[in-house]
Amino acid sequence: MSSQVILPRIMQIGAGASKDIVNVLNNLGVSKPLIITDKMMVKLGYAAQIQNALALSNLAAEIFDDTVPEPTVASIQNGINKAKSGDFDCLIALGGGSPIDSAKAISVLSQFGGEMRDYKVPRVVSEQGLPLIAIPTTAGTGTECTCFTIITDEKNDEKMLCAGVGFMPVAALVDFELTLSLPARITADTGIDALTHAIEAYVSRKSNTFSDSQAISAMKLIAPNLRKTYHDGNDKTARENIMLGSTLAGMAFSNASVALVHGMSRPIGAAFHVPHGLSNAMLLPAVTAFSIPAAPERYADCAKAIGIANESDSTDVANGKLIVELKALNVELNVPTPAEFGIEGAKYFDLLPTMAKQALASGSPNNNPRVPSIDEMIAIYKEIWVD
């Protein structure tokens, strides 16, 4: 059986990759970009760096910097209006997962109209919007090379998963030097997000030979370097390895899909405004323990890839080490439980049936080696509360 693989047309990877923006625009035949970013990227001067690189070739770019963390239907609307107001022929998405996800939605909706809800799964979006060049500044989401975007409908606190080749950037400039300014908390959250992408892609029911190779490579790059970047953000070798690992993990899950961790994570983020990577981290040990019985050899491979199990270890021993490591990683990276994060207990427990139903509706739990029932997801939500 063959597997379809969808990737950006152009990928520029390594130190200074973002400075090659003019060559990328020329190769794509576009010259009037709108930069989609956030105010922090403007404050740090990263947006100006892109503008300056363009100016050297007599190109100009306007900036839309009103994207928000965990983008919503309302937050992308202003970007859609901005994209429609000028004669822009492409978008440059600069920032973490939120600006890039926002830009994906803006790219399609500015050209084809409708509402974000019209494009959510199970619809597969093939419409090609404004060409999108993604420049990630975090090492975590991998969204620069995925055909997914997640936008929250603030009317009902639903994180809508939208998928299809129409959301794949045409180019990705992966420059680890843009991650050197990341604070420790964001470094940890995005790093565990990337590790989760790799693990879930590998154990997914939709995994394939291509995604497996990317997922294993990603785990080998991310796991040994995550603690290093958390404790020393200036470790360039570790930053570069995690950035490449994040991109490979993005390739893996874009072509194999994520599974139960992500399915259960999105409702937590939507209802309680927990950053995406952090809610993944809260769930990863418990969901892994739940899932191992259905794919013990696969999870043992993960344990060996991240370097905490030996080739001589039995499957059971390797999986035991995996659970211990995932819990230890959360402790060292100061990942809070939902209770420690400050979520109101009564509201959390009242919403568990709704969150479980939203998780199931996203489709991601069906990719898990062990497909859970609503009651089993509720039990996992209760397990991770830990007051």
Side-chain angles (χ1 to χ4, degrees):
M1 180 182 294
S2 66
S3 302
Q4 184 180 69
V5 175
I6 303 171
L7 297 171
R9 191 186 313 169
I10 298 172
M11 297 191 72
Q12 194 83 23
I13 299 175
S18 60
K19 298 173 184 176
D20 289 318
I21 184 64
V22 172
N23 289 333
V24 171
L25 294 183
N26 288 339
N27 287 337
L28 294 172
V30 292
S31 59
K32 296 180 179 179
L34 170 65
I35 298 174
I36 306 291
T37 189
D38 59 33
K39 288 181 168 50
M40 182 55 69
M41 292 298 101
V42 173
K43 181 179 180 181
L44 291 173
Y46 291 159
Q49 287 180 23
I50 301 300
Q51 287 182 310
N52 293 339
L54 293 169
L56 292 175
S57 296
N58 296 315
L59 297 175
E62 293 185 38
I63 292 176
F64 173 79
D65 63 0
D66 284 336
T67 64
V68 299
E70 314 298 326
T72 65
V73 170
S75 74
I76 65 169
Q77 188 57 52
N78 289 335
I80 293 169
N81 295 340
K82 178 67 175 179
K84 292 168 70 174
S85 70
D87 57 349
F88 306 109
D89 60 6
C90 63
L91 303 178
I92 297 174
L94 173 69
S98 295
I100 297 176
D101 274 5
S102 297
K104 289 180 176 183
I106 292 166
S107 166
V108 172
L109 268 70
S110 66
Q111 298 299 293
F112 298 101
E115 299 178 356
M116 198 71 237
R117 179 165 292 279
D118 300 331
Y119 296 88
K120 77 169 189 172
V121 168
R123 178 175 175 179
V124 177
V125 179
S126 58
E127 294 91 336
Q128 299 293 310
L130 283 172
L132 174 60
I133 299 96
I135 305 177
T137 60
T138 63
T141 68
T143 191
E144 69 274 7
C145 57
T146 77
C147 51
F148 302 106
T149 187
I150 299 173
I151 306 295
T152 299
D153 184 344
E154 58 271 58
K155 292 180 180 178
N156 61 0
D157 283 335
E158 178 189 0
K159 278 199 171 186
M160 297 181 291
L161 175 63
C162 306
V165 66
F167 293 121
M168 176 64 74
V170 295
L173 281 62
V174 184
D175 185 348
F176 78 88
E177 292 183 334
L178 299 181
T179 70
L180 294 174
S181 62
L182 286 177
R185 180 72 269 146
I186 296 178
T187 296
D189 296 348
T190 54
I192 296 180
D193 189 22
L195 183 61
T196 305
H197 290 153
I199 292 173
E200 291 212 295
Y202 190 74
V203 303
S204 169
R205 289 169 175 256
K206 294 181 179 177
S207 65
N208 54 71
T209 304
F210 176 85
S211 63
D212 283 354
S213 66
Q214 308 307 310
I216 291 292
S217 296
M219 284 183 253
K220 290 180 177 179
L221 287 165
I222 296 166
N225 291 291
L226 188 46
R227 288 177 172 86
K228 293 178 183 178
T229 55
Y230 178 71
H231 293 298
D232 179 9
N234 293 315
D235 187 330
K236 291 187 176 181
T237 299
R239 287 283 194 191
E240 184 170 18
N241 285 336
I242 285 193
M243 191 69 163
L244 178 56
S246 171
T247 296
L248 291 173
M251 291 182 186
F253 89 80
S254 186
N255 291 285
S257 295
V258 287
L260 183 55
V261 174
H262 277 75
M264 293 183 64
S265 171
R266 295 184 199 106
I268 294 177
F272 302 107
H273 308 291
V274 179
H276 174 67
L278 191 57
S279 56
N280 277 348
M282 292 173 178
L283 284 157
L284 182 58
V287 169
T288 300
F290 170 84
S291 306
I292 281 174
E297 292 82 9
R298 284 252 148 185
Y299 280 104
D301 288 344
C302 293
K304 293 169 184 176
I306 67 177
I308 47 86
N310 303 316
E311 289 298 327
S312 59
D313 285 337
S314 69
T315 297
D316 287 344
V317 168
N319 286 327
K321 289 182 176 180
L322 178 61
I323 296 301
V324 170
E325 169 63 7
L326 295 180
K327 290 179 177 178
L329 189 62
N330 277 4
V331 171
E332 185 165 344
L333 272 54
N334 291 306
V335 174
T337 66
E340 292 167 344
F341 185 80
I343 293 173
E344 181 185 341
K347 184 177 180 182
Y348 179 83
F349 284 93
D350 285 347
L351 281 177
L352 293 188
T354 298
M355 291 198 299
K357 290 175 184 175
Q358 288 180 345
L360 191 62
S362 74
S364 297
N366 290 325
N367 302 324
N368 207 57
R370 181 181 176 188
V371 179
S373 66
I374 292 291
D375 287 343
E376 286 172 327
M377 283 190 282
I378 290 173
I380 293 172
Y381 280 133
K382 289 179 178 178
E383 178 185 345
I384 68 167
W385 171 253
V386 191
D387 199 345

